[in-house]
Amino acid sequence: MNEQIAILDFGSQYTQVIARRIRECNVYSVILPFDVSIEKLSALKPSGIILSGGPNSVYAENAPLPDPAIFKLGIPILGVCYGLQLMAHFLGGKVEPGTKREYGKGTLSIIDSSCPLFKKLPSKLQIWNSHTDRLTKLPKGFKAVAVSDNSPYAAIENRSRNFYGLQFHPEVVHTPRGKDLIANFVHTICGCGKNWTMRSYLDQAVEDIQRQVGSERVVLGLSGGVDSSVAAALLHKAIGDQLTCIFVNNGLLRAKEADVVREVFGRHFQMRLHYEDTTDLFLTRLKGITDPERKRKIIGKTFIEVFQTATKSVGKARFLAQGTLYPDVIESVPIAGNPAAMIKSHHNVGGLPKNMKFELVEPLKCLFKDEVRQLGLELGLPKEIVFRQPFPGPGLAVRILGEVTPRRCEILRNSDSIVVEEMKKSGWYYKTWQSFAVLLPVRSVGVMGDERTYDYTIALRVVESQDGMTADWVKLPYELLEVISSRICNEVKGVNRVCFDISSKPPATIEWE
Ligand code: XMP
């Protein structure tokens, strides 16, 4: 993992997207806070540096500024949006407030096609802008290599110093050839090869785990979700029987979930799997509880108790493995007005109690979710696990409004199986972020045959999203909605009505709770 590109984060909501685009070029990338020390940055020996966008003005009082020494390292630099303005600001150009915000689609006209950023690209490109300030005077040694409708300096270069700047965002999908621009920067300008592949990562990760763990034992809480499953398969490849996975059935799982996990990890991979069925304990403690926060607290606390007891019963282990991902470990940049820094998940559990003294093994902590999936495939995990939709830790409890009872769990489980089955059959399952059923504790009148019914309502929630922070409801074909609705009403006893949730997040959330 020696070749890498360092991205300095000035608070753009797209910084992680830049990192992913680079990795899609098979080059490793790391995100660093904008004020990283020059010693730390140099120690990484990056082949190139990208200055991200950001919500500030370079001349604002509290503008995030990098150590100016980065411009003396002799390393190629690409400034994106705010990054371009910063570079100009530091190197003697002039940035001024624009009269109006340039936002949305635009066209880039390349005026110097010999600029290495534009290698093999057409002379006109569709681009995406999002900025107000603009560059009004080029720094010495720079020239414009492309213009847009509103900017004579949409792309600039100082080829002899290997400094480049783009006023628009090459990383977003609305700049369709942006990936080629980034590829040209990392391969042609920075000279990086294509060494970052999941195959090479796997070999390296196996060695690293073996070195870290030695002959000690490791426990891992397996939830059946993508991250813990891939972490388990990776650790098992590295250390075999030194790994014990603990799978807790809290009684709030989807239909067949426990069977799938036991089949895949226990029988197929032959892992040491400790299965703990604590359905009764969880459901007893949830009896009579209707407040969503209390339900969550009870489930979280009970899980820790059960897990703690299980770790003791499987024998002493020095390490605890976790499927932490890269987005969880990137230091967020505390910049006022930066939405990316302000949105925090309320779901992150507080971790395990202090008296559980484990050292951590986190073999996925430099990977993005899509990379974890590739790694899962590389490790031979079935598609059903690798591409499954996110499922919340408190399980069906956040999808049964009001009290959680065994009967309601059964109704929801049966309804949910139909949703998943039909979504998979129609090919929509893998195209959506989440698709599931929610049980509403209200009953309404219906009619079945000659009989009047008084049954529950199921809400169908199907959303698309990038990361769960925001979401939009998916416009499923009426025919599919019809099949799901009629199957649920006909096949699930206790339900006589199905509604489709057409709310986006915000203002709604994905789960109903
Ligand atoms: P909301 O409902 O807040 O959910 O829009 C956003 C995403 O988080 C998932 N979620 C959870 N995941 N533990 C988890 O691991 C939880 O307690 C939890 N609650 C919600 C939800 O499914 C969605 O993907």
Side-chain angles (χ1 to χ4, degrees), residues 223-502:
S223 71
V226 180
D227 308 340
S228 66
S229 297
V230 174
L234 176 57
L235 277 147
H236 185 249
K237 187 173 174 74
I239 56 168
D241 276 352
Q242 284 165 256
L243 171 73
T244 305
C245 294
I246 297 172
F247 179 72
V248 175
N249 184 347
N250 58 7
L252 302 163
L253 304 173
R254 291 180 146 176
K256 302 206 195 96
E257 184 70 19
D259 296 340
V260 170
V261 167
R262 282 194 291 179
E263 174 61 37
V264 170
F265 296 94
R267 279 185 281 282
H268 176 70
F269 279 101
Q270 301 267 307
M271 285 186 201
R272 289 175 66 148
L273 180 65
H274 177 86
Y275 174 71
E276 192 87 39
D277 187 351
T278 43
T279 300
D280 291 344
L281 177 66
F282 276 83
L283 293 188
T284 307
R285 289 194 182 174
L286 285 169
K287 213 166 172 193
I289 311 293
T290 53
D291 177 67
E293 279 308 310
R294 276 196 70 202
K295 288 201 277 188
R296 277 181 175 278
K297 286 223 169 73
I298 290 169
I299 296 165
K301 190 169 157 281
T302 309
F303 177 82
I304 287 173
E305 270 175 48
V306 172
F307 189 74
Q308 201 163 11
T309 312
T311 55
K312 285 186 189 134
S313 75
V314 298
K316 200 163 167 40
R318 177 162 158 196
F319 293 94
L320 174 74
Q322 287 184 338
T324 319
L325 303 192
Y326 193 43
D328 305 325
V329 297
I330 299 171
E331 284 175 59
S332 69
V333 177
I335 293 174
N338 167 18
M342 280 171 353
I343 304 170
K344 278 264 181 285
S345 165
H346 59 281
H347 306 309
N348 292 337
V349 266
L352 292 168
K354 293 211 168 44
N355 61 356
M356 286 184 79
K357 289 205 171 15
F358 285 113
E359 288 171 47
L360 288 183
V361 190
E362 297 176 298
L364 311 178
K365 75 170 176 207
C366 63
L367 301 184
F368 287 108
K369 190 85 175 187
D370 41 348
E371 295 173 317
V372 171
R373 292 206 161 99
Q374 284 172 39
L375 182 62
L377 292 177
E378 200 71 59
L379 285 158
L381 282 171
K383 186 176 164 198
E384 189 195 344
I385 290 201
V386 169
F387 291 101
R388 58 181 27 191
Q389 297 175 347
F391 185 68
L396 300 183
V398 295
R399 297 179 180 173
I400 294 172
L401 308 200
E403 190 186 357
V404 177
T405 64
R407 170 149 162 74
R408 288 180 177 183
C409 286
E410 194 193 331
I411 293 177
L412 182 58
R413 220 171 254 136
N414 294 340
S415 308
D416 191 69
S417 298
I418 295 175
V419 177
V420 174
E421 203 180 306
E422 291 300 331
M423 289 295 288
K424 284 191 175 165
K425 209 153 99 189
S426 60
W428 278 92
Y429 180 89
Y430 295 110
K431 288 194 269 182
T432 56
W433 169 262
Q434 275 172 303
S435 43
F436 55 85
V438 178
L439 185 138
L440 310 189
V442 282
R443 293 198 288 171
S444 67
V445 173
V447 57
M448 180 156 263
D450 292 333
E451 290 207 11
R452 186 176 176 280
T453 57
Y454 190 54
D455 283 336
Y456 288 121
T457 297
I458 286 289
L460 181 60
R461 185 75 167 136
V462 185
V463 294
E464 56 191 13
S465 171
Q466 290 298 316
D467 50 13
M469 297 294 187
T470 61
D472 201 2
W473 62 281
V474 176
K475 284 79 190 170
L476 287 184
Y478 283 167
E479 295 71 21
L480 177 57
L481 291 172
E482 186 177 18
V483 174
I484 293 174
S485 160
S486 87
R487 277 197 62 193
I488 292 176
C489 290
N490 284 313
E491 295 173 35
V492 183
K493 215 167 166 312
V495 179
N496 63 359
R497 208 175 280 278
V498 174
C499 297
F500 187 41
D501 182 351
I502 54 168

